[in-house]
Amino acid sequence: MEDTIVAISTAQGVGAISIIRVSGKDAIKIVCKIFSNKNFFNAPSHTIHYGYIMDGNEKIDEVLVSLMRAPKTFTKEDVVEINAHGSIMTTDKILEVLLINGCRLAEPGEFTKRAFLNGRIDLTEAEGIMNLINSKTDISRKIALNQVGGKVSSMIHDLRDDLASIIANIEVNIDYPEYEDIEEMTIDKINSNLSELEDKIDKILKESKNGEILTNGIKTVIVGKPNVGKSSLLNRLIGEEKAIVTDIRGTTRDSVEANLKLDNLILNLIDTAGIRETDDVVESIGVDKSIKLIDQADLILFVVNYNERLSEEDLIILNKLKGKNYITVVNKCDLDKKIDDEKLENVIYISALKDNNIDKIGDRIKQMFNLEKIETTDLTYLTSARSGAILRKVLDSVKEVRKGIKNNYPIDMVEIDLKDIWNLLGEIIGESYDEELLDNLFSRFCVGK
Amino acid sequence: MNYEVIVVGGGHAGCEAALATARMGHKTLLVTGNINNIADMPCNPSIGGSAKGIVVREIDALGGEMGNNADKSLLQIKMLNTAKGPAVRSLRAQADKIIYPKNMINTLNNTDNLDIKEALVKDVITSNNKVNGVLLENGEEINSKIVILTTGTYMNADIMIGDTRHREGPHGERPSNYLSDNLAKKGFKIKRLKTGTPPRIDKDSIDFSKAKKEDGDKVFHTFSFDNDPMYDIDKQVPCFLIYTNDETHKIIRDNLNKSSMYGGLLDIKGVGPRYCPSIEDKIVRFSDKERHQLFLEPESLYYDDIYLQGFSTSMPYDVQEKMVHSLSGLENAKILKYAYAIEYDAIVPTQLKFNLETKLIENLFTAGQINGTSGYEEAACQGLMAGINASLKLEGKDPFILRRDEAYIGVLIDDLITKGIRDPYRLLTSRAEYRLLLRTDNADLRLREYGHKFGLVNKEKYDKFLKKKNDIEKASLEFKEKRLTPKNNDYLESLGTKPLKDGVSLYDLLRRPEINVEDLTKFLDNEYDVDVLEQVSISSKYEGYIKKALREAEKLKHLENKKIPNDIDYDAMHNLASEAKQKLKEVRPNTIGQAMRISGVNPADISILTMYMKWG
């Protein structure tokens, strides 16, 4: 990693300006070679310089160059950022001369990787930045920002501290058994402490699920028997909100076929094939297929017809929806009511044709996923799959320990599990065993000859 | 006279080192400042304790002397943590401070290949960074191939009481005035450490009726796997528990600036042990605590000193008098020896290889407090390891390095070398990641083979060990094969356990917490020793945890097998954090496993290191 790397940091396309970022030990030297303003080389850190990017004697672009010397930079290396005019041609040309003069094209995420490897940021922060770069909505950007600021780290730190004090107490009981006036960490006390810990982790995981939803979108499926208006609903959702539908068929493992932006929500629609058929063709998406899709989704929009009684097929689907997150969308409310809707729950009455009440759907989704308050409250969530997976492992371990306690395992076995959990939590924030536990032990307890 | 090995120092490390090299057939000289002070116990009159007791068993399993010697010198003994599970049980004994050294000196005198000389060592003689022998303070030179330094707290030792500082070893012994400076001249980094000891009180001046009596166990214990108990269970000598009180605390607070450590002396550099704070420290750091526990421990049957555990201090004499007299039962106590703090030189242990040989000078080994540890047991086990490794070096054999999952000794040495020390190092159960594997009951199963291989465990003892091992296998098999059926339900219910619906093996029944191994022996065809049954019981009851620990240990082995090339250039790794780079250069770990444990080396540094090893 001695290379000096370069990348165009702004989105490709025509904007007013674009930024080319260079990082590495030769960053300043290399840029100086192609920059008309030679004062730049010895200039103090964190200054901006005006001049031309040159290809030999040819002026490529008039630019502002930011000079940031190590270590107070994003990568902790020397970093230079060139603010050029936004045309693709000039930007690419600048990139090209930098490459010719000794830079290497950065791999995706390499700046962040360097920041991590050079100890500028920890793992959760690195993940936060990756999320920030990839964030699709304003809220997910906020969550990512919080992760960058170390909020997740501090939350995990708190959990870990709780645990460390239990462990330290057990350790001190074991290593200093003759100290009778030190509180004995009994199985009962551990149990009640653990149940608190379990609640806290549970809460973080639940909130993280929401965070995940905000960052990654809600896996959504629209089901219903043929001809109830699924495709009209889809078109309304798209059209009404002027959302961008990106067709990324076959590119994701979850078979997400469209990302639909609804206020601050992203709906990842899975399997739209059946819906996109026109209304007058018998839709290919039948009851069997609906049932299959229900299991894959975080959210189900179940569409029924206001103008018909619930059919056998409707009832089969309804039965399948028990215990799931679903909204019953009663369509065609512009027609006469024939539906026996007393069996239905979580109902929204709409008319896709007349464009009635479509906006209620977004509100209801926010309610269901408890996302209403999120815009204003602290956005501390574990948005990475890695952290989530470890935390779920932690939760399992906590349950395991409590089972061990129930089976009368002696305290030294129980403590082995507690240490595992403590280490797992350390993994989330990229911290491993050090003197921490011992420090805790000796700062909290007065022991010794 | 030419020696193969010279051991400098006759403390617990020196005794084990000298015995090991001599017993392994190498002509050894033990040089000590005072022959009468060999195997002295300058601080507390006890051997063992949490984790430490397990180390004593490990020393015994490897063929060291401490366990055997302690068994012969007991005042009382107990098993700690019996209710907290098998992994943390550990023996602790009060040992007689007259008898313990006497027995050890006898053993040394009766060991072939071992001479003892009274002298102080001034320097280690070297050529081309290799040991040639030692230079004594009287100018005499003695040659040897190997030198093992076990100088304890004697190098540049200062005794501190109140505002006074004297160049003196423990109890006024002659200190070593030159060795440390000469080591520094050779390039060794020296660290100043500090420890302390409490006052000794005349037994007859204490009113024990106000104290709580603490007896030894009413079942027999021995440290050594080969000894039968040698003490009268009913004649164990008790310890006593008392507490400090408001008045004690007030006296200490009022006189705080007179304590050497709190302003009495302004030139203190030594770092004191966290786990062994002075009573001043306790009062200052835990000011909200109303009282602190103190123990009255007998030092010997042959003199009257009572060791006041928990009351170590560097207050001047007059304040010590007041402090002691404020204690309940000690109102009229007579102080026989005043407490003191002691500052001494140690070498920074990251300068050692894993066989305890120094990196700077070939064939120079160090062990015990000179390496920054504290405690008799920690010293003894290093002495033994240094002795074994010195012998192996002489024989041209591979070094003997214990892994962290094999022994507390492995944990200790690995900690010293990879993490270095901040304050004097004490073993704690919490330092061992695999402590379920490192139990007091299985130290022989873990280590006896090694002891035998090195010739430190004789045939008789080894055969006894092999029989035990066989019996454990046989018993496990029998427990697994013998099944109980619902026909036995009456008996099971009498034990307070659930009746059976189907046949179940004894081994599986043993998993039930309420069933003890003794409850099932009547169904066996063969009779087994208690030790053997204990192994079966532990492996049945804690099978899941033991398996997990073994899996974790496998992971460790995997990391320990990832060797780092000797010539690796840390300076070439530009992305290493500078602290990590410095630590890695200093320690020069042999494996990724060791590198990971170095304090100041973060997971990110490890990924850079492995990336570099892969592509660099």
Side-chain angles (χ1 to χ4, degrees), chain A residues 184-196:
Chain A
E184 181 86 19
M185 187 44 85
T186 59
I187 290 287
D188 283 343
K189 282 184 203 146
I190 295 172
N191 216 353
S192 80
N193 276 314
L194 281 180
S195 112
E196 260 175 55

Side-chain angles (χ1 to χ4, degrees), chain A residues 180-181 415 417 439 442, chain B residues 274 285 293 435 545 548:
Chain A
E180 296 170 359
D181 53 351
E415 202 223 350
D417 286 331
D439 284 341
F442 290 113
Chain B
R274 276 179 287 182
R285 288 178 44 212
Q293 269 182 256
R435 70 174 185 221
Y545 281 92
K548 197 164 123 192

Side-chain angles (χ1 to χ4, degrees), chain B residues 412-425:
Chain B
L412 180 146
I413 294 175
D414 187 73
D415 277 350
L416 285 182
I417 295 174
T418 59
K419 296 183 181 143
I421 54 147
R422 186 175 102 184
D423 56 331
Y425 177 100

Side-chain angles (χ1 to χ4, degrees), chain A residues 289-355:
Chain A
K289 191 148 192 204
S290 293
I291 286 169
K292 235 191 246 163
L293 289 172
I294 284 167
D295 286 335
Q296 298 173 25
D298 294 327
L299 170 70
I300 301 116
L301 299 179
F302 173 39
V303 187
V304 290
N305 187 349
Y306 188 73
N307 189 231
E308 277 174 19
R309 287 187 63 81
L310 288 178
S311 68
E312 191 66 23
E313 290 163 307
D314 287 326
L315 292 173
I316 290 171
I317 296 175
L318 192 63
N319 201 35
K320 250 315 203 216
L321 287 172
K322 269 183 197 150
K324 309 268 178 194
N325 277 321
Y326 73 95
I327 298 173
T328 312
V329 181
V330 180
N331 190 20
K332 305 190 184 179
C333 289
D334 48 304
L335 304 177
D336 291 340
K337 179 176 179 177
K338 293 189 184 155
I339 192 165
D340 41 342
D341 56 3
E342 53 283 353
K343 277 186 192 158
L344 299 173
E345 284 174 34
N346 203 10
V347 185
I348 295 176
Y349 296 92
I350 65 157
S351 164
L353 187 70
K354 303 270 179 206
D355 195 11

Side-chain angles (χ1 to χ4, degrees), chain A residues 21-90:
Chain A
R21 182 191 262 170
V22 186
S23 174
K25 71 175 167 49
D26 293 329
I28 298 166
K29 205 169 90 192
I30 293 170
V31 173
C32 200
K33 282 198 246 176
I34 63 159
F35 191 33
S36 64
N37 183 347
K38 299 296 176 196
N39 292 333
F40 165 79
F41 190 76
N42 288 314
S45 185
H46 293 78
T47 48
I48 295 176
H49 305 268
Y50 167 80
Y52 291 93
I53 295 293
M54 310 292 291
D55 183 13
N57 291 324
E58 185 194 339
K59 287 179 182 170
I60 302 173
D61 194 11
E62 183 187 24
V63 295
L64 286 175
V65 177
S66 314
L67 169 69
M68 290 157 278
R69 294 183 189 274
K72 285 190 173 170
T73 70
F74 175 58
T75 54
K76 273 191 146 180
E77 302 170 330
D78 285 343
V79 171
V80 178
E81 286 180 0
I82 302 171
N83 287 251
H85 289 100
S87 92
I88 294 178
M89 259 175 59
T90 44

Side-chain angles (χ1 to χ4, degrees), chain A residues 1-2 25 77 113-114 116-119 170-171 173-182 184 400-401 404 407-417 419-420 430-435 437-439 441-449, chain B residues 43-44 50-51 80-81 83-88 196 212 214 241 243 274-277 282 285-286 289 291-293 295 307 309-312 419 422 426 428-432 435-436 513 541-542 545 548 572 574-575 603-604 607-608 611:
Chain A
M1 276 196 298
E2 282 185 62
K25 71 175 167 49
E77 302 170 330
K113 193 167 134 201
R114 286 192 175 193
F116 166 66
L117 288 178
N118 291 333
I170 298 173
E171 296 285 357
N173 292 152
I174 290 168
D175 276 322
Y176 294 89
E178 69 272 28
Y179 281 81
E180 296 170 359
D181 53 351
I182 287 175
E184 181 86 19
E400 197 63 27
V401 183
N407 286 331
N408 280 324
Y409 277 124
I411 202 145
D412 66 341
M413 304 291 160
V414 170
E415 202 223 350
I416 289 171
D417 286 331
K419 269 197 176 161
D420 278 356
E431 262 178 33
S432 53
Y433 176 84
D434 48 27
E435 290 270 290
L437 270 180
L438 289 181
D439 284 341
L441 201 155
F442 290 113
S443 61
R444 291 192 48 225
F445 300 101
C446 183
V447 286
K449 65 184 179 185
Chain B
C43 204
N44 55 323
S50 187
L80 304 174
N81 295 330
K84 292 178 189 134
V88 294
K212 186 184 162 222
E214 307 241 310
L241 168 63
Y243 294 94
R274 276 179 287 182
Y275 54 83
C276 179
K282 294 183 194 178
R285 288 178 44 212
F286 299 93
K289 247 187 133 203
R291 59 178 199 176
H292 295 273
Q293 269 182 256
F295 293 91
Y307 180 90
Q309 205 232 88
F311 214 60
S312 116
K419 296 183 181 143
R422 186 175 102 184
R426 190 206 138 142
L428 297 162
T429 57
S430 47
R431 297 195 194 264
R435 70 174 185 221
L436 186 50
K541 286 190 186 299
Y542 308 112
Y545 281 92
K548 197 164 123 192
H574 296 284
N575 303 78
S607 43
I608 290 166
M611 271 160 64

